[in-house]
mmCIF file of all heavy atoms in Angstrom:
data_model
loop_
_atom_site.group_PDB
_atom_site.id
_atom_site.type_symbol
_atom_site.label_atom_id
_atom_site.label_comp_id
_atom_site.label_asym_id
_atom_site.label_seq_id
_atom_site.Cartn_x
_atom_site.Cartn_y
_atom_site.Cartn_z
ATOM 1 N N ASN A 335 -131.548 -26.737 -57.214
ATOM 2 C CA ASN A 335 -131.740 -27.618 -56.060
ATOM 3 C C ASN A 335 -133.235 -27.673 -55.768
ATOM 4 O O ASN A 335 -133.916 -26.650 -55.787
ATOM 5 C CB ASN A 335 -130.944 -27.028 -54.880
ATOM 6 C CG ASN A 335 -131.122 -27.824 -53.613
ATOM 7 O OD1 ASN A 335 -132.233 -28.046 -53.151
ATOM 8 N ND2 ASN A 335 -130.018 -28.243 -53.034
ATOM 9 N N TRP A 337 -134.842 -28.323 -53.017
ATOM 10 C CA TRP A 337 -135.307 -28.190 -51.627
ATOM 11 C C TRP A 337 -136.467 -27.200 -51.496
ATOM 12 O O TRP A 337 -137.561 -27.550 -51.076
ATOM 13 C CB TRP A 337 -134.125 -27.827 -50.717
ATOM 14 C CG TRP A 337 -134.511 -27.649 -49.275
ATOM 15 C CD1 TRP A 337 -134.398 -26.515 -48.534
ATOM 16 C CD2 TRP A 337 -135.084 -28.637 -48.395
ATOM 17 N NE1 TRP A 337 -134.854 -26.734 -47.241
ATOM 18 C CE2 TRP A 337 -135.287 -28.030 -47.131
ATOM 19 C CE3 TRP A 337 -135.462 -29.969 -48.556
ATOM 20 C CZ2 TRP A 337 -135.832 -28.701 -46.039
ATOM 21 C CZ3 TRP A 337 -136.011 -30.646 -47.458
ATOM 22 C CH2 TRP A 337 -136.192 -30.006 -46.230
ATOM 23 N N PHE A 342 -140.031 -32.100 -48.744
ATOM 24 C CA PHE A 342 -140.013 -33.578 -48.773
ATOM 25 C C PHE A 342 -141.036 -34.155 -49.747
ATOM 26 O O PHE A 342 -141.083 -35.363 -49.955
ATOM 27 C CB PHE A 342 -140.288 -34.124 -47.368
ATOM 28 C CG PHE A 342 -139.167 -33.853 -46.405
ATOM 29 C CD1 PHE A 342 -139.264 -32.855 -45.450
ATOM 30 C CD2 PHE A 342 -137.990 -34.597 -46.475
ATOM 31 C CE1 PHE A 342 -138.227 -32.600 -44.572
ATOM 32 C CE2 PHE A 342 -136.946 -34.340 -45.594
ATOM 33 C CZ PHE A 342 -137.055 -33.345 -44.646
ATOM 34 N N ASP A 367 -132.218 -32.915 -53.140
ATOM 35 C CA ASP A 367 -131.927 -32.603 -51.736
ATOM 36 C C ASP A 367 -132.553 -33.658 -50.825
ATOM 37 O O ASP A 367 -132.911 -34.765 -51.257
ATOM 38 C CB ASP A 367 -132.421 -31.174 -51.421
ATOM 39 C CG ASP A 367 -131.608 -30.485 -50.346
ATOM 40 O OD1 ASP A 367 -131.882 -30.748 -49.161
ATOM 41 O OD2 ASP A 367 -130.687 -29.710 -50.677
ATOM 42 N N ASP A 368 -132.706 -33.322 -49.583
ATOM 43 C CA ASP A 368 -133.185 -34.206 -48.523
ATOM 44 C C ASP A 368 -134.486 -34.921 -48.908
ATOM 45 O O ASP A 368 -135.383 -34.306 -49.496
ATOM 46 C CB ASP A 368 -133.428 -33.318 -47.290
ATOM 47 C CG ASP A 368 -133.569 -34.108 -46.022
ATOM 48 O OD1 ASP A 368 -133.554 -35.346 -46.091
ATOM 49 O OD2 ASP A 368 -133.672 -33.473 -44.961
ATOM 50 N N ARG A 374 -137.727 -41.305 -45.252
ATOM 51 C CA ARG A 374 -137.522 -39.876 -45.027
ATOM 52 C C ARG A 374 -138.623 -39.061 -45.705
ATOM 53 O O ARG A 374 -138.395 -38.435 -46.761
ATOM 54 C CB ARG A 374 -136.143 -39.500 -45.577
ATOM 55 C CG ARG A 374 -135.712 -38.073 -45.284
ATOM 56 C CD ARG A 374 -135.246 -37.892 -43.884
ATOM 57 N NE ARG A 374 -134.594 -36.590 -43.694
ATOM 58 C CZ ARG A 374 -134.392 -36.060 -42.502
ATOM 59 N NH1 ARG A 374 -134.759 -36.694 -41.409
ATOM 60 N NH2 ARG A 374 -133.801 -34.889 -42.393
ATOM 61 N N ASP A 377 -138.744 -34.531 -41.607
ATOM 62 C CA ASP A 377 -137.435 -34.536 -40.952
ATOM 63 C C ASP A 377 -137.469 -35.220 -39.581
ATOM 64 O O ASP A 377 -136.683 -34.912 -38.704
ATOM 65 C CB ASP A 377 -136.820 -33.133 -40.888
ATOM 66 C CG ASP A 377 -137.729 -32.108 -40.240
ATOM 67 O OD1 ASP A 377 -138.778 -32.510 -39.696
ATOM 68 O OD2 ASP A 377 -137.384 -30.918 -40.283
ATOM 69 N N TRP A 412 -127.947 -34.924 -52.027
ATOM 70 C CA TRP A 412 -127.803 -34.457 -50.634
ATOM 71 C C TRP A 412 -127.584 -35.645 -49.705
ATOM 72 O O TRP A 412 -128.247 -36.678 -49.844
ATOM 73 C CB TRP A 412 -129.093 -33.738 -50.257
ATOM 74 C CG TRP A 412 -129.198 -33.217 -48.849
ATOM 75 C CD1 TRP A 412 -128.956 -31.940 -48.440
ATOM 76 C CD2 TRP A 412 -129.635 -33.936 -47.681
ATOM 77 N NE1 TRP A 412 -129.197 -31.825 -47.082
ATOM 78 C CE2 TRP A 412 -129.616 -33.036 -46.591
ATOM 79 C CE3 TRP A 412 -130.015 -35.256 -47.440
ATOM 80 C CZ2 TRP A 412 -129.978 -33.400 -45.294
ATOM 81 C CZ3 TRP A 412 -130.372 -35.617 -46.144
ATOM 82 C CH2 TRP A 412 -130.355 -34.697 -45.081
ATOM 83 N N GLU A 414 -126.589 -36.477 -45.260
ATOM 84 C CA GLU A 414 -126.279 -35.930 -43.933
ATOM 85 C C GLU A 414 -125.681 -37.071 -43.095
ATOM 86 O O GLU A 414 -126.316 -37.591 -42.161
ATOM 87 C CB GLU A 414 -127.530 -35.347 -43.266
ATOM 88 C CG GLU A 414 -127.179 -34.569 -42.019
ATOM 89 C CD GLU A 414 -128.379 -33.912 -41.337
ATOM 90 O OE1 GLU A 414 -129.504 -34.059 -41.823
ATOM 91 O OE2 GLU A 414 -128.161 -33.253 -40.302
ATOM 92 N N ARG A 444 -133.685 -31.155 -34.225
ATOM 93 C CA ARG A 444 -134.451 -31.505 -35.423
ATOM 94 C C ARG A 444 -134.884 -32.976 -35.353
ATOM 95 O O ARG A 444 -134.874 -33.696 -36.356
ATOM 96 C CB ARG A 444 -133.600 -31.276 -36.676
ATOM 97 C CG ARG A 444 -134.432 -30.968 -37.914
ATOM 98 C CD ARG A 444 -133.601 -30.959 -39.174
ATOM 99 N NE ARG A 444 -134.349 -30.452 -40.308
ATOM 100 C CZ ARG A 444 -134.026 -30.655 -41.564
ATOM 101 N NH1 ARG A 444 -132.971 -31.352 -41.885
ATOM 102 N NH2 ARG A 444 -134.758 -30.156 -42.527
ATOM 103 N N LYS A 477 -123.936 -32.686 -51.699
ATOM 104 C CA LYS A 477 -124.118 -31.650 -50.671
ATOM 105 C C LYS A 477 -124.100 -32.372 -49.320
ATOM 106 O O LYS A 477 -124.989 -33.167 -49.020
ATOM 107 C CB LYS A 477 -125.458 -30.948 -50.904
ATOM 108 C CG LYS A 477 -125.811 -29.906 -49.844
ATOM 109 C CD LYS A 477 -127.118 -29.217 -50.249
ATOM 110 C CE LYS A 477 -127.668 -28.300 -49.170
ATOM 111 N NZ LYS A 477 -129.010 -27.797 -49.538
ATOM 112 N N ASP A 479 -124.595 -32.244 -45.628
ATOM 113 C CA ASP A 479 -125.296 -31.398 -44.663
ATOM 114 C C ASP A 479 -125.021 -31.883 -43.238
ATOM 115 O O ASP A 479 -124.523 -33.006 -43.026
ATOM 116 C CB ASP A 479 -126.802 -31.464 -44.975
ATOM 117 C CG ASP A 479 -127.571 -30.248 -44.499
ATOM 118 O OD1 ASP A 479 -127.018 -29.457 -43.714
ATOM 119 O OD2 ASP A 479 -128.742 -30.100 -44.902
ATOM 120 N N ASN A 481 -127.123 -31.026 -39.479
ATOM 121 C CA ASN A 481 -128.188 -30.130 -39.041
ATOM 122 C C ASN A 481 -128.454 -30.024 -37.551
ATOM 123 O O ASN A 481 -129.594 -29.785 -37.153
ATOM 124 C CB ASN A 481 -129.489 -30.526 -39.755
ATOM 125 C CG ASN A 481 -129.495 -30.021 -41.182
ATOM 126 O OD1 ASN A 481 -129.359 -28.830 -41.416
ATOM 127 N ND2 ASN A 481 -129.605 -30.920 -42.127
ATOM 128 N N CYS A 527 -122.286 -27.942 -45.936
ATOM 129 C CA CYS A 527 -123.527 -27.309 -45.495
ATOM 130 C C CYS A 527 -123.751 -27.730 -44.049
ATOM 131 O O CYS A 527 -123.396 -28.837 -43.669
ATOM 132 C CB CYS A 527 -124.684 -27.801 -46.378
ATOM 133 S SG CYS A 527 -126.299 -27.188 -45.883
ATOM 134 N N SER A 528 -124.330 -26.852 -43.262
ATOM 135 C CA SER A 528 -124.679 -27.250 -41.898
ATOM 136 C C SER A 528 -125.827 -26.371 -41.448
ATOM 137 O O SER A 528 -125.613 -25.273 -40.944
ATOM 138 C CB SER A 528 -123.461 -27.087 -40.986
ATOM 139 O OG SER A 528 -123.798 -27.459 -39.675
ATOM 140 N N GLY A 529 -127.048 -26.847 -41.727
ATOM 141 C CA GLY A 529 -128.224 -26.023 -41.439
ATOM 142 C C GLY A 529 -128.006 -24.642 -42.025
ATOM 143 O O GLY A 529 -128.134 -23.631 -41.343
ATOM 144 N N GLY A 530 -127.570 -24.613 -43.290
ATOM 145 C CA GLY A 530 -127.071 -23.371 -43.895
ATOM 146 C C GLY A 530 -125.596 -23.263 -43.594
ATOM 147 O O GLY A 530 -124.815 -24.151 -43.916
ATOM 148 N N GLY A 531 -125.205 -22.189 -42.889
ATOM 149 C CA GLY A 531 -123.767 -21.887 -42.776
ATOM 150 C C GLY A 531 -123.166 -22.086 -41.398
ATOM 151 O O GLY A 531 -122.369 -21.262 -40.968
ATOM 152 N N TRP A 546 -122.617 -23.991 -48.509
ATOM 153 C CA TRP A 546 -123.907 -23.295 -48.518
ATOM 154 C C TRP A 546 -123.883 -22.244 -47.407
ATOM 155 O O TRP A 546 -123.687 -22.549 -46.247
ATOM 156 C CB TRP A 546 -125.021 -24.322 -48.324
ATOM 157 C CG TRP A 546 -126.426 -23.813 -48.375
ATOM 158 C CD1 TRP A 546 -127.392 -24.069 -47.457
ATOM 159 C CD2 TRP A 546 -127.029 -23.018 -49.397
ATOM 160 N NE1 TRP A 546 -128.570 -23.473 -47.841
ATOM 161 C CE2 TRP A 546 -128.373 -22.811 -49.027
ATOM 162 C CE3 TRP A 546 -126.571 -22.434 -50.584
ATOM 163 C CZ2 TRP A 546 -129.262 -22.054 -49.795
ATOM 164 C CZ3 TRP A 546 -127.444 -21.690 -51.350
ATOM 165 C CH2 TRP A 546 -128.771 -21.506 -50.961
ATOM 166 N N SER A 548 -126.084 -19.991 -46.154
ATOM 167 C CA SER A 548 -127.150 -19.769 -45.178
ATOM 168 C C SER A 548 -128.445 -20.373 -45.698
ATOM 169 O O SER A 548 -128.672 -20.418 -46.914
ATOM 170 C CB SER A 548 -127.367 -18.271 -44.989
ATOM 171 O OG SER A 548 -128.441 -18.049 -44.107
ATOM 172 N N ASP A 549 -129.318 -20.784 -44.776
ATOM 173 C CA ASP A 549 -130.658 -21.219 -45.187
ATOM 174 C C ASP A 549 -131.552 -20.032 -45.504
ATOM 175 O O ASP A 549 -132.684 -20.202 -45.946
ATOM 176 C CB ASP A 549 -131.299 -22.067 -44.082
ATOM 177 C CG ASP A 549 -130.901 -23.530 -44.211
ATOM 178 O OD1 ASP A 549 -130.308 -23.900 -45.241
ATOM 179 O OD2 ASP A 549 -131.169 -24.300 -43.273
ATOM 180 N N GLU A 605 -133.062 -22.319 -56.698
ATOM 181 C CA GLU A 605 -133.671 -23.157 -55.677
ATOM 182 C C GLU A 605 -135.149 -22.797 -55.651
ATOM 183 O O GLU A 605 -135.627 -22.119 -54.752
ATOM 184 C CB GLU A 605 -132.986 -22.863 -54.334
ATOM 185 C CG GLU A 605 -133.498 -23.693 -53.209
ATOM 186 C CD GLU A 605 -132.414 -24.162 -52.248
ATOM 187 O OE1 GLU A 605 -131.219 -23.968 -52.534
ATOM 188 O OE2 GLU A 605 -132.786 -24.734 -51.230
HETATM 189 C C1 DGJ B 1 -130.504 -27.685 -44.265
HETATM 190 C C2 DGJ B 1 -129.889 -27.148 -45.515
HETATM 191 O O1 DGJ B 1 -129.184 -25.985 -45.256
HETATM 192 C C3 DGJ B 1 -130.974 -26.947 -46.558
HETATM 193 O O2 DGJ B 1 -130.443 -26.354 -47.702
HETATM 194 C C4 DGJ B 1 -131.592 -28.273 -46.860
HETATM 195 O O3 DGJ B 1 -130.647 -29.102 -47.465
HETATM 196 C C5 DGJ B 1 -132.127 -28.910 -45.590
HETATM 197 N N1 DGJ B 1 -131.149 -28.945 -44.567
HETATM 198 C C6 DGJ B 1 -132.617 -30.299 -45.858
HETATM 199 O O4 DGJ B 1 -132.987 -30.950 -44.727
#
Side-chain angles (χ1 to χ4, degrees):
N335 177 304
W337 179 242
F342 291 104
D367 210 278
D368 195 356
R374 186 77 169 163
D377 54 8
W412 178 98
E414 190 178 0
R444 207 189 189 199
K477 176 176 172 187
D479 205 347
N481 282 303
C527 176
S528 180
W546 183 230
S548 177
D549 274 350
E605 182 141 352

